[in-house]
Amino acid sequence: MITIGQLAKYVGVSTKTIRVYHDKGLLPEPDRDASGYRRYGANDAIELIKIRTLAEAGVPLSRIRDLRSATHEGFQQALREIDDEVTARIHGLRATQERLRRLAAGQLAPLPAEVGAHLEYLARWGFTTRWVDLQRDLWILVFATQPDRATALFHDQAETTADPTLRQLYLDYDHAHDLDADDPRIDGLARRIAAATRERYGPDALPGLDAASEIPALIQGTVNASSPAWQRLDTLIRAQLGV
């Protein structure tokens, strides 16, 4: 039988951590000796190692407590699920590490040549520097975070902008930046954009990033924050498209 300090040292946790596990019902309180000190055995050490391993894998203490009462089959299934979760986190960390290394090398998000050419066309077509910069930042984010979807999304927008009628809508959107938010021209522009969008895509869902991606909201939030007119325009378009 060993003391709480010895157990903590053997397993590699603090005595405070062991007491927390006792308080939360993860590790049963052991018997005490004649002097009133806790005394632990081999089974306690084994249980503590299990708890520590699960906790280090990011499993919440409440879930660990539930696993203690699970059947053998249930425990094994839970371990497989936790292993899958850890594997997913490892892949995510490796991807983050690669982006950090590219950032350190000054290569945060090298845009494809066709995107650079498209940005040059925007300037020639009369879009403001503000709009071109917004588009550049948008594609940097998209290609950096959603490389599998970025090319298809870019081609869709490039085709849209190549159409003179649709390009005029983008130009009108760009130049609406400095309008008063209550300007009636915003209402008309919103109707035209919504109608053109429905005509282009019909009843199909609009092309976009994965549903879990926060990039669209980040981009639109940045755009709206720069202009009350753009914010109202976005609100009107969404309302008319039902998105």
Side-chain angles (χ1 to χ4, degrees), residues 58-70:
V59 181
L61 296 184
S62 58
R63 187 178 180 189
I64 296 175
R65 184 178 57 247
D66 294 340
L67 288 176
R68 283 186 48 78
S69 60

Side-chain angles (χ1 to χ4, degrees), residues 30-243:
D31 294 331
R32 294 176 181 262
D33 62 17
S35 300
Y37 293 106
R38 295 182 180 92
R39 292 294 177 178
Y40 299 86
N43 287 338
D44 296 311
I46 291 170
E47 289 302 312
L48 184 56
I49 289 171
K50 291 179 181 178
I51 296 169
R52 185 201 65 183
T53 302
L54 291 169
E56 289 176 346
V59 181
L61 296 184
S62 58
R63 187 178 180 189
I64 296 175
R65 184 178 57 247
D66 294 340
L67 288 176
R68 283 186 48 78
S69 60
T71 63
H72 175 75
E73 293 75 12
F75 185 73
Q76 293 299 316
Q77 176 62 31
L79 289 182
R80 287 190 290 271
E81 293 173 358
I82 293 167
D83 183 82
D84 291 342
E85 293 168 5
V86 170
T87 299
R89 291 207 302 272
I90 289 172
H91 289 325
L93 287 171
R94 286 176 175 167
T96 299
Q97 182 184 54
E98 180 60 29
R99 289 196 294 271
L100 286 172
R101 289 174 176 173
R102 290 202 304 268
L103 176 60
Q107 301 173 347
L108 175 59
L111 290 173
E114 60 182 342
V115 179
H118 175 72
L119 295 175
E120 292 181 2
Y121 279 125
L122 292 180
R124 295 173 189 170
W125 284 330
F127 286 92
T128 64
T129 301
R130 174 189 57 244
W131 183 270
V132 175
D133 288 345
L134 279 172
Q135 292 296 307
R136 182 200 62 230
D137 292 346
L138 180 155
W139 293 118
I140 286 176
L141 283 171
V142 173
F143 274 93
T145 60
Q146 302 276 328
D148 295 337
R149 306 286 300 279
T151 300
L153 290 173
F154 168 72
H155 287 162
D156 179 76
Q157 187 184 89
E159 291 173 5
T160 302
T161 314
D163 182 304
T165 301
L166 297 178
R167 182 168 67 243
Q168 186 60 51
L169 288 178
Y170 281 111
L171 280 165
D172 292 344
Y173 198 127
D174 176 13
H175 297 149
H177 179 275
D178 298 323
L179 293 178
D180 186 87
D182 296 325
D183 193 304
R185 285 174 288 182
I186 294 177
D187 298 80
L189 178 56
R191 287 192 293 270
R192 289 163 52 208
I193 292 176
T197 301
R198 286 192 294 266
E199 181 178 354
R200 178 171 175 79
Y201 299 106
D204 298 332
L206 300 180
L209 301 178
D210 294 334
S213 175
E214 298 179 354
I215 296 302
L218 174 64
I219 293 170
Q220 194 61 56
T222 301
V223 170
N224 290 347
S226 68
S227 165
W230 277 0
Q231 183 176 14
R232 183 162 180 267
L233 186 56
D234 175 56
T235 300
L236 291 172
I237 293 171
R238 289 176 180 276
Q240 294 186 38
L241 292 177
V243 298

